[in-house]
């Protein structure tokens, strides 16, 4: 019997830097959809994104079609399957159109991945190199909640636009419409199953090296009917991930409605930042985007509560924009209706004037607006 070779030092998590220490910021958000051509057209026409790249059969990719959409530093990729087999078709069948990948740019994809796995993350794709004439990208992927994943993208060695294999030949024309002016991804919210919140907060803290930013209990986020709990984790810089779980109320929590229709945990909303929300929402409404309706009573109350703020109150009320204040300043926000047939994914538009919060003062008004929609769907 030969002795075990113990000469290779065991790598322990404590020896490795936290995965988050490699993060540079958001790289892209990939949605897997039933029809990428139409999803791209919708995001361009309704939300003012520009199609900047494409991969599909015409570029030598046979099993899928992907469109890259950009606005400010926000980059979405929408991808659809060419047939009934494979992960994309399965994802769409289970979840409907949904967010599959929350990809971050990192300084060293292999080191980030190794550190994540050493701390207990599940690896979905080990570090691999993709190249074309513009250089090289190194990418690696770990799992997070539901069928959602994080790809670590190291692109310092790449001078092309998005990714090897993409082309900007023959892109769809830019739809006509007023400019929207969204400039960055502010935060990305996940919904997880009842009882799972603490585990996922622990995953982001212990495994990826995030910090908790703020926690909201169900007594802070509840209406007459439904409740939820939420913890916001972040990488200490730009990657901000609130996570919600349903809580028991008189009726079905909106988070539970999401989970029932998405079929698992997943991304609920993406918050997109603008510097001029009145102009942005005016443009989005002109382009046909539908937002949750806010009752006039909300403005009767908030105009009194925040009377010291010099704001274009009539515009805010006309457009349905919500206002909240914290110790650092104020924020303006609005929520779209779901962008999918299933009551799952939606967008938030947000303007921050100092405030670092998430609109806690608006939670009740927001949830009551969502519940009115939920009731119309027969799901409350
Ligand atoms: Fe949000």
């Amino acid at each position: 019997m030969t002795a075990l070779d113990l000469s290779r030092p065991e790598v322990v998590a404590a020896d490795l830097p936290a995965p988050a220490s490699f993060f540079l910021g958001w790289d892209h958000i990939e949605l897997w959809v039933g029809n990428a051509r139409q999803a791209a057209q919708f995001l361009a026409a309704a939300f003012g994104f520009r199609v900047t790249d494409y991969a599909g059969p015409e570029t030598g990719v046979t099993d899928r079609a992907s469109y890259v959409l950009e606005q400010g530093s926000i980059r979405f990729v929408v991808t659809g399957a060419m047939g009934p087999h494979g992960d994309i078709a399965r994802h769409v069948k289970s979840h409907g159109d949904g967010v599959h990948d929350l990809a971050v740019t990192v300084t060293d994809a292999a080191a980030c991945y190794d550190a994540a796995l050493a701390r207990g993350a599940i690896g979905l794709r080990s570090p691999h190199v993709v190249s074309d004439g513009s250089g090289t990208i190194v990418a690696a992927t770990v799992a997070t909640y539901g069928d959602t994943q994080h790809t670590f993208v190291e692109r310092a060695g790449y001078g092309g636009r998005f990714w090897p294999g993409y082309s900007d030949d023959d892109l769809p024309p830019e739809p006509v419409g007023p400019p929207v002016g969204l400039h960055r991804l502010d935060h990305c919210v996940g919904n997880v199953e009842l009882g799972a919140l603490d585990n996922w907060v622990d995953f982001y803290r212990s495994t990826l090296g995030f910090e908790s930013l703020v926690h909201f209990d169900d007594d802070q986020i509840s209406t007459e009917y439904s409740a939820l709990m939420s913890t916001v984790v972040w990488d200490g810089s730009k990657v901000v991930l609130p996570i919600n779980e349903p809580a028991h109320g008189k009726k079905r929590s909106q988070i539970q409605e999401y989970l029932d229709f998405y079929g698992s945990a997943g991304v609920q909303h993406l918050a997109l930042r603008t510097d001029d929300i009145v102009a942005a929402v005016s443009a989005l409404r002109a382009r046909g985007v539908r937002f949750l309706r806010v009752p006039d009573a909300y403005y009767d109350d908030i105009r009194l509560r925040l009377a010291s703020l010099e704001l274009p109150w009539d515009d805010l009320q006309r457009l349905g924009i919500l206002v909240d204040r914290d110790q650092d300043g104020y924020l303006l926000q609005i929520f779209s209706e779901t962008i999918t047939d299933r009551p799952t994914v939606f967008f938030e538009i947000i303007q921050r004037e100092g405030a670092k919060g998430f609109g806690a003062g608006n939670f009740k008004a927001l949830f009551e607006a969502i519940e009115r929609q939920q009731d119309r769907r027969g799901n409350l």
Side-chain angles (χ1 to χ4, degrees), residues 187 189 269 271 333 335 348 358:
H187 59 274
V189 181
H269 75 266
Q333 63 186 166
F335 297 86
E348 171 182 352
F358 298 86

Side-chain angles (χ1 to χ4, degrees), residues 186-189 242 268-271 333 335 346 348 350 352 358-359 363 366:
D186 189 87
H187 59 274
C188 173
V189 181
Q268 178 210 41
H269 75 266
L270 300 164
Q333 63 186 166
F335 297 86
F346 59 89
E348 171 182 352
I350 183 167
R352 294 187 181 277
F358 298 86
F363 285 167
L366 167 66

Side-chain angles (χ1 to χ4, degrees), residues 44-338:
F47 284 88
F49 283 81
R50 211 160 40 88
V51 179
T52 56
D53 243 338
Y54 169 78
E58 298 84 348
T59 72
V61 179
T62 54
D63 67 334
R64 65 187 65 193
S66 297
Y67 294 81
V68 181
L69 296 123
E70 293 184 64
Q71 186 167 177
S73 66
I74 308 163
R75 180 157 54 197
F76 292 150
V77 181
V78 291
T79 296
M82 284 292 164
H85 305 294
D87 292 343
I88 301 165
R90 241 192 327 271
H91 198 277
V92 171
K93 187 175 181 195
S94 302
H95 306 299
D97 291 1
V99 175
H100 176 61
D101 198 336
L102 305 172
V104 289
T105 315
V106 299
T107 52
D108 185 334
C112 186
Y113 178 86
D114 288 346
L117 262 57
R119 289 163 170 255
I122 295 169
L124 296 179
R125 192 158 182 205
S126 54
H128 56 282
V129 173
V130 276
S131 311
D132 65 9
S134 299
T136 292
I137 284 177
V138 187
T141 303
V142 299
T144 180
Y145 46 74
D147 276 336
T148 319
Q149 63 184 34
H150 289 298
T151 294
F152 306 134
V153 183
E154 177 187 337
R155 55 170 69 252
Y158 191 64
R161 282 177 320 281
F162 174 60
W163 207 274
Y166 282 70
S167 162
D168 65 350
D169 283 349
D170 199 27
L171 296 176
E174 209 170 322
V176 175
V180 178
L182 306 175
H183 68 86
R184 61 174 279 193
L185 188 58
D186 189 87
H187 59 274
C188 173
V189 181
N191 286 343
V192 300
E193 297 86 352
L194 182 65
L197 178 62
D198 287 349
N199 285 345
W200 285 111
V201 169
D202 189 55
F203 167 79
Y204 279 100
R205 285 168 52 99
S206 307
T207 307
L208 296 189
F210 279 49
E211 295 159 28
S212 295
L213 198 57
V214 57
H215 174 78
F216 303 99
D217 259 324
D218 50 349
D219 55 347
Q220 288 166 280
I221 315 183
S222 63
T223 64
E224 188 191 347
Y225 294 124
S226 79
L228 64 89
M229 289 195 286
S230 185
T231 300
V232 184
V233 294
W234 72 322
D235 70 341
S237 173
K238 295 189 183 115
V239 178
V240 180
L241 303 175
I243 306 170
N244 300 326
E245 80 167 24
H248 292 297
K250 257 197 221 170
K251 298 202 175 179
R252 176 156 63 161
S253 166
Q254 49 157 304
I255 307 306
Q256 192 57 49
E257 186 198 30
Y258 172 100
L259 295 167
D260 292 345
F261 281 85
Y262 198 70
S264 74
V267 171
Q268 178 210 41
H269 75 266
L270 300 164
L272 311 176
R273 182 110 57 102
T274 176
D275 289 332
D276 184 350
I277 198 168
V278 169
V281 174
S282 299
L284 291 165
R285 285 194 180 278
R287 287 165 171 268
V289 175
R290 290 155 63 158
F291 293 97
L292 289 181
R293 269 187 285 276
V294 185
D296 284 335
Y298 169 85
Y299 293 94
D300 297 342
D301 171 62
I302 197 104
R303 281 183 188 228
L304 284 177
R305 214 155 40 83
L306 302 183
S308 60
L309 293 178
E310 280 282 333
L311 291 172
W313 287 109
D314 291 346
D315 289 335
L316 300 181
Q317 181 160 0
R318 177 174 53 81
L319 294 166
I321 295 165
L322 308 171
V323 189
D324 195 29
R325 181 160 61 179
D326 63 21
Q327 67 274 15
D328 301 306
Y330 69 93
L331 63 80
L332 306 168
Q333 63 186 166
I334 190 169
F335 297 86
S336 78
E337 292 187 358
T338 56

